[in-house]
Amino acid sequence: MPKNQKNRRRKSHAERERIKQKKAASGASYTSAQSGAVHHHQGPEIGPVDGAGFGVDRRADMGTASALIGACVERCKPCQASLADQVLSGDRLVVASLAGSVYSLLPSIGSVCSPATERFHAVAQESARSGSGREVLAAVEALSAEDLEALLEDTLDTWAAAAAPSPAPAAPAASSDAGAEQDEETPRQYTAMSGTAYLMSAGADQLLSTEEMAELAQLAERSAAAGTPVVCFLCDQPIDVTAEPEVHIGLSARTVDVDGTELDTVQPVWTHPACGRTRIWPWPELMAERQRRGLPVAQEDRQPERVPRQGARNADYTHFSLARNPGGGGMVPLVLVEPGEPDEYGTEGYLAARLSEGLKPVDLTGGEPFPVLDGWQLRCERGRMVSVMRAGAGAWYQQEGGYATPGNWRQAARTQRKALFLVVPAGSVGDRQGDDWLAAMSRTAEAGHLLGGLVAVRGTLS
């Protein structure tokens, strides 16, 4: 090899190492680290962890984990991504310490955490009773990469909530200061004079205007002042908005008959946080849930008992293609997922569930930019798509062994590092090909049944 070529290679390697070290120290992206525009996030002061309590002879530096919590509090997504990658690829004692300190103290973890976190919580509770952290570290070290990431995300949600500064005093009127920068899957928040936080379900903006959503919080305040408080839909008890720190507002769309005329209506579904997380409800499912809880239901709204399906289930349909991004940047990889079995509450049930998760209607005509789904990611291993992950909820969709992806799809994914993720109700598209497939997609989109958005692509593509 010519001498000057060797020198250039040494210099290139040295430069990469310098940037790598700078990135590791700052938690910034490659571009930010190279330009010097790094971020510094002050998280809670967490000293080094002595591994003796976990049955190992080593110490874990918690500096990166502390900065990661700070980035979560300040909603700095580039730093969250780079710092999380460092924590996930580092000593698992760090994650064991973060998660163990949280879940050994919490008696319950609610209903929105990942299955991995549910299993870990049981281990942490038992560890708290025995006084030994060996099982905690062993449980973390046994996790797959995906489950480790899900556990870290759930843990960060709790740490960030505890480390966040106290909210500023509320404005005199209800406001929507949660803003457009909030995560798509995060409920919109309104704060009223009483200090109560009203959490509106993700997807509510597809059924109501911004003004109508804000008016619901004002309605609760006015009703309380008039002595007729709003009532929780899942326990039939009044909601004291002057005492509750949070009130959840879901929605249910239904068709009602008014003097022989059918009208489409949207009804607010008020709930205590302990009764049910805010979401979009199909009316039959809401009635079925009231029946399950022993609450009264009008005769015409009573739902038949659901009979579990017997026999083999139809396989899901997955299709890979490319789509031109109307927002610029060329072609993006596209993946369409259609369940093999219909939702038990039909198309309305499927769409309600997907809207509640933060998925958005997608326009494939090029007239509107593709929506961005913050907190979602598509995971690949050696070029095969293995799962779709949702922040705070673990794997939304996964396939053992993964799906093989076309070469042009992988090339676009390497270039874009994002993909257009689409979902449709069962029976919408199926295994149709060519013009039939495109026609079926067009009909589905025109009906408003094509949901999804741009998600990050993570993992290995070759």
Side-chain angles (χ1 to χ4, degrees), residues 176-183 188-189:
S176 57
D177 291 338
E181 294 184 358
Q182 65 180 9
D183 289 352
R188 188 185 300 267
Q189 178 170 320

Side-chain angles (χ1 to χ4, degrees), residues 91 94 237 270-271 328 354 369 426 449:
D91 189 347
V94 172
Q237 297 300 310
W270 308 91
T271 55
R354 302 294 81 80
H449 296 169

Side-chain angles (χ1 to χ4, degrees), residues 203-339:
D205 56 342
Q206 303 303 316
L207 301 175
L208 298 176
S209 67
T210 301
E211 294 75 14
E212 288 171 329
M213 289 189 286
E215 286 173 359
L216 286 176
Q218 298 170 4
L219 171 64
E221 298 286 312
R222 291 196 300 269
S223 297
T228 55
V230 294
V231 174
C232 175
F233 225 96
L234 296 179
C235 73
D236 281 355
Q237 297 300 310
I239 300 177
D240 185 353
V241 299
T242 64
E244 292 284 351
E246 285 183 3
V247 174
H248 288 200
I249 311 176
L251 296 173
S252 181
R254 62 183 300 207
T255 301
V256 298
D257 186 286
V258 179
D259 296 331
T261 302
E262 289 190 343
L263 299 176
D264 293 330
T265 65
V266 176
Q267 177 170 338
V269 179
W270 308 91
T271 55
H272 296 101
C275 291
R277 182 174 174 82
T278 177
R279 57 163 293 188
I280 308 296
W281 291 87
W283 187 256
E285 184 177 0
L286 184 58
M287 294 299 99
E289 181 61 19
R290 285 182 58 84
Q291 285 176 218
R292 188 186 70 80
R293 297 181 182 222
L295 300 174
V297 173
Q299 185 61 39
E300 63 270 19
D301 288 327
R302 295 197 65 82
Q303 300 299 307
E305 183 177 350
R306 298 281 168 173
V307 179
R309 176 188 170 91
Q310 303 296 323
R313 298 176 61 84
N314 294 324
D316 296 339
Y317 171 70
T318 304
H319 179 82
F320 297 93
S321 184
L322 299 176
R324 183 168 299 281
N325 189 348
M331 305 297 286
V332 294
L334 176 155
V335 57
L336 170 76
V337 173
E338 178 182 327

